[in-house]
Amino acid sequence: MNRLFIAAMAIMLVCACSTSPNINTTTPHFEKSGNKTQFIVNDEPFIMRGGELANSSASSTKYMRKNVWPTIKKMGLNTILSPVYWELIEPTENNFDFTSVNELISDARKNNVKLVLLWFGAWKNSMSCYVPEWMKTDTARFQRALSQNGEKQEIITPFSQELLNADEKAFKALLENIKTIDKEQNTVIMIQVENEIAMLPNARDYSALAQKEFESAVPLQLIDYLTNNKETLTPHLKKYWNGATQGTWTELFGNNIYAEEIFQAWFYATYVDKLAAAGKAVYNLPMYVNAALNRAGKLPGEYPSSGPIPNLIDIWKAGAPTLDMLSPDIYFSEFDYWTSPYFRTDNPVFIPEHQFDATVGAKALYAFGKLHALGFSPFSIENPRDKNNPENEEIAKCYNLISSITPLLNKYRGTEKMTGILLDKEKPSDTLQFGGYQLIAKHYNTLSWASNKNNGTWNMGGAVIISPNDGEYIVAGTGIVLTFKPLIKNRKAGIISIDEVKYKNGKEILGRRLNGDEDHQGRHLAISDESWEVQKVKLYTY
Ligand code: DGJ
């Protein structure tokens, strides 16, 4: 009775606190035409300038109000990724309490940000640590995954129908609650299903339920996908699938650890697909899963096995077609290496987690420009290096820039007219053919007069580059120097003009004409690594 009363009050509170009622807009959705995917929110294309909360922050509204909202307000974010904890919303079976979720939605509205909710359900980073007490303690009903040596894990086996039933019930109740309080305003714009799903400490589960499936035939749904997408499969699958179209997992993929990983990935993907479909049937929000990446030189199980990692994207696409995308969490260097496999026509790019460090600003620019990303999100966003001045974070400066060029990003996403650059000490230059010229991009520190050159500081450089017409470029970036060469032999490229520009509500506002020292007497376009700005250059050949 008490709980129901509190929930009803929370719903009333959320409704009363609506700051921007966007009544009657369509439910947030992905709109795809050709190579272009737009994320439509409140009937407009939306780009997520995101940040993900540290795992435990959203478990206390009081903590959020004191420590989180005031900090993140200053970083130019328009989206917060926040967990929803199964253990808190269903403390006893079938009794749901959405107070914390509803308070979060209400506070997000007050702070003028959207929410991506992360369902910390059956698994969070492989483990079943967020399932409620009544599940944790009932190991007869919710059977555990077993390691190869027969040890029980704190992971409920994905082969358990009881687990799926309970997970679906809670997930549907969550979506029903969101729909009830939010279908008109759309503060909640997307759902992450589970978190970094993967198996440990071996490549697969060895429980009796899993063993039975492992000895069975590979399902037709997977074989059809492999057959229909034979040419474009990831190199890993091309290597391990022997082309056979019937048989067991080892008969198709070999008697090796990767066959086990593929098997486990299939059953995770199909589990998630059922969960996502059940949730979407209640409230059709876009849904995705995030990946804990595999470590170079480690075997499945040494790294969290079977998640939607680059090697297994096709298994996940085949098993979970209901998902709108698969998204990598980046905690390693080599940003391009890890993210580019996700840039596919069947998969828009979203970086839901990136270690919150000084590189995130430049990497976000690269993600929006080169990978045509729909969003980016450093992890533990409420913990900037300087808690008193979060606006000094590179991500804040980047998001200011991204916010101003959002109409351009939306216009050129999915076209050949937008690309990105990422430069650092290890890769101080890059060359690309783009917009009718060859572009030579160098890090700002390559200039002899760069002030950071001598003190050894290498702020990462990056840019979104858009070429509306051949020989014209809009460069939104930091720490880069661009020179140009024509594609025609025996000619040279010259700069007609460079203008400093800003954008306000999609309108271009010209600033200074940049010439003389600012473009090295017509030799290059330069943006210092201490600055985040947009310049527009027009070229000619002679
Ligand atoms: C990745 C997980 O998805 C996050 O929830 C968090 O645990 C981070 N790792 C911590 O680095």
Side-chain angles (χ1 to χ4, degrees):
M1 157 69 188
N2 244 350
R3 197 167 287 140
L4 272 180
F5 178 72
I6 294 168
M9 290 300 286
I11 290 175
M12 281 164 63
L13 181 77
V14 166
C15 298
C17 290
S18 316
T19 48
S20 54
N22 291 292
I23 309 287
N24 289 334
T25 57
T26 51
T27 303
H29 61 280
F30 283 7
E31 207 166 84
K32 193 166 167 21
S33 77
N35 287 334
K36 186 175 188 133
T37 301
Q38 301 279 38
F39 182 21
I40 306 293
V41 174
N42 298 130
D43 290 343
E44 303 277 353
F46 189 78
I47 282 179
M48 292 174 280
R49 305 189 311 270
E52 180 168 325
L53 300 179
N55 290 163
S56 304
S57 298
S59 65
S60 160
T61 301
K62 210 163 143 197
Y63 180 89
M64 287 287 293
R65 289 182 182 158
K66 184 155 184 266
N67 301 292
V68 178
W69 291 115
T71 307
I72 58 181
K73 228 179 159 151
K74 298 183 188 154
M75 281 190 270
L77 306 155
N78 66 0
T79 307
I80 295 299
L81 281 69
S82 169
V84 171
Y85 318 94
W86 193 354
E87 62 178 344
L88 295 193
I89 67 158
E90 196 183 0
T92 55
E93 191 168 10
N94 292 325
N95 294 315
F96 293 97
D97 179 354
F98 290 109
T99 312
S100 58
V101 178
N102 294 341
E103 286 172 348
L104 179 73
I105 294 174
S106 164
D107 286 352
R109 288 178 186 166
K110 285 186 204 150
N111 285 280
N112 203 21
V113 293
K114 300 291 187 186
L115 289 171
V116 173
L117 295 183
L118 320 175
W119 175 231
F120 281 16
W123 308 289
K124 192 271 173 188
N125 291 62
S126 304
M127 312 306 285
S128 294
C129 51
Y130 279 97
V131 305
E133 181 182 343
W134 54 269
M135 295 183 70
K136 277 187 184 158
T137 50
D138 192 346
T139 50
R141 183 171 158 209
F142 300 105
Q143 291 174 42
R144 298 304 180 91
L146 296 188
S147 62
Q148 192 164 13
N149 64 11
E151 239 176 75
K152 277 188 190 165
Q153 302 302 307
E154 195 149 19
I155 299 174
I156 302 179
T157 172
F159 299 91
S160 159
Q161 189 60 43
E162 282 287 340
L163 174 67
L164 179 60
N165 293 347
D167 207 353
E168 270 186 14
K169 196 183 282 174
F171 194 56
K172 279 161 64 178
L174 171 65
L175 281 146
E176 190 68 61
N177 174 76
I178 299 169
K179 185 179 175 185
T180 306
I181 64 167
D182 195 48
K183 69 173 182 302
E184 289 180 340
Q185 292 205 41
N186 304 139
T187 302
V188 178
I189 57 174
M190 186 148 65
I191 303 287
Q192 179 186 290
V193 192
E194 313 288 354
N195 188 81
E196 290 197 350
I197 297 165
M199 183 50 69
L200 288 170
N202 302 118
R204 71 173 174 93
D205 176 9
Y206 281 83
S207 65
L209 292 170
Q211 197 55 33
K212 184 168 167 265
E213 293 294 348
F214 191 64
E215 284 155 16
S216 304
V218 175
L220 264 184
Q221 187 188 339
L222 176 54
I223 291 172
D224 282 351
Y225 179 98
L226 295 173
T227 312
N228 295 336
N229 296 280
K230 208 172 181 158
E231 303 308 321
T232 56
L233 292 176
T234 62
H236 181 81
L237 287 177
K238 280 186 179 156
K239 180 169 169 194
Y240 284 98
W241 177 41
N242 62 18
T245 52
Q246 59 181 39
T248 61
W249 296 90
T250 47
E251 281 165 355
L252 262 68
F253 300 103
N255 198 359
N256 60 61
I257 194 165
Y258 294 107
E260 300 195 18
E261 188 184 32
I262 290 166
F263 156 81
Q264 187 70 42
W266 174 259
F267 283 95
Y268 273 136
T270 50
Y271 177 103
V272 165
D273 199 60
K274 288 177 201 137
L275 192 60
K280 283 188 175 216
V282 173
Y283 187 35
N284 193 7
L285 287 173
M287 297 190 187
Y288 72 98
V289 289
N290 62 336
L293 296 171
N294 44 307
R295 281 166 198 270
K298 300 278 182 195
L299 292 171
E302 290 173 347
Y303 64 79
S305 165
S306 309
I309 58 175
N311 284 345
L312 301 172
I313 289 178
D314 285 305
I315 301 295
W316 276 82
K317 286 281 170 195
T322 306
L323 294 175
D324 296 275
M325 54 186 182
L326 311 174
S327 306
D329 291 345
I330 313 289
Y331 290 88
F332 305 146
S333 51
E334 298 176 295
F335 186 72
D336 183 44
Y337 172 81
W338 290 111
T339 53
S340 57
Y342 293 86
F343 183 36
R344 311 169 24 138
T345 50
D346 61 355
N347 197 69
V349 172
F350 174 43
I351 312 299
E353 289 183 43
H354 191 292
Q355 185 156 344
F356 192 6
D357 59 22
T359 68
V360 283
K363 287 177 181 168
L365 290 178
Y366 180 81
F368 286 115
K370 177 76 188 246
L371 308 172
H372 296 203
L374 294 176
F376 189 93
S377 164
F379 176 75
S380 198
I381 193 69
E382 66 273 54
N383 295 307
R385 279 162 294 174
D386 177 358
K387 194 99 181 163
N388 295 322
N389 297 293
E391 64 280 6
N392 289 344
E393 284 292 337
E394 286 78 4
I395 198 68
K397 295 174 186 166
C398 166
Y399 281 170
N400 279 337
L401 207 58
I402 290 298
S403 161
S404 74
I405 63 166
T406 288
L408 293 173
L409 298 178
N410 287 330
K411 179 169 177 190
Y412 291 105
R413 182 176 313 108
T415 74
E416 307 260 288
K417 289 173 180 273
M418 181 162 80
T419 189
I421 289 284
L422 196 58
L423 301 169
D424 59 11
K425 194 174 180 184
E426 279 65 51
K427 189 185 177 196
S429 70
D430 199 2
T431 300
L432 50 151
Q433 200 168 306
F434 179 65
Y437 286 76
Q438 189 182 62
L439 274 56
I440 300 107
K442 293 193 175 164
H443 192 281
Y444 193 77
N445 273 6
T446 58
L447 296 178
S448 59
W449 57 87
S451 54
N452 276 335
K453 188 185 172 73
N454 296 325
N455 67 28
T457 306
W458 279 79
N459 297 327
M460 192 169 256
V464 175
I465 307 181
I466 293 168
S467 175
N469 301 299
D470 278 3
E472 291 178 23
Y473 303 92
I474 298 164
V475 184
T478 182
I480 76 159
V481 181
L482 285 179
T483 52
F484 308 91
K485 281 188 185 161
L487 302 177
I488 315 155
K489 266 192 181 158
N490 301 324
R491 290 189 73 79
K492 288 177 141 187
I495 290 175
I496 295 176
S497 60
I498 301 182
D499 287 299
E500 186 178 54
V501 284
K502 291 202 184 319
Y503 296 89
K504 209 161 182 201
N505 304 325
K507 286 223 163 64
E508 180 185 277
I509 300 162
L510 287 181
R512 290 175 299 163
R513 168 59 58 95
L514 300 173
N515 205 340
D517 290 346
E518 275 65 55
D519 73 347
H520 197 16
Q521 302 24 264
R523 291 186 185 88
H524 67 210
L525 175 154
I527 303 176
S528 117
D529 61 337
E530 304 281 353
S531 176
W532 298 75
E533 60 193 76
V534 191
Q535 296 186 15
K536 205 169 82 166
V537 56
K538 203 167 170 189
L539 306 179
Y540 73 108
T541 62
Y542 60 95

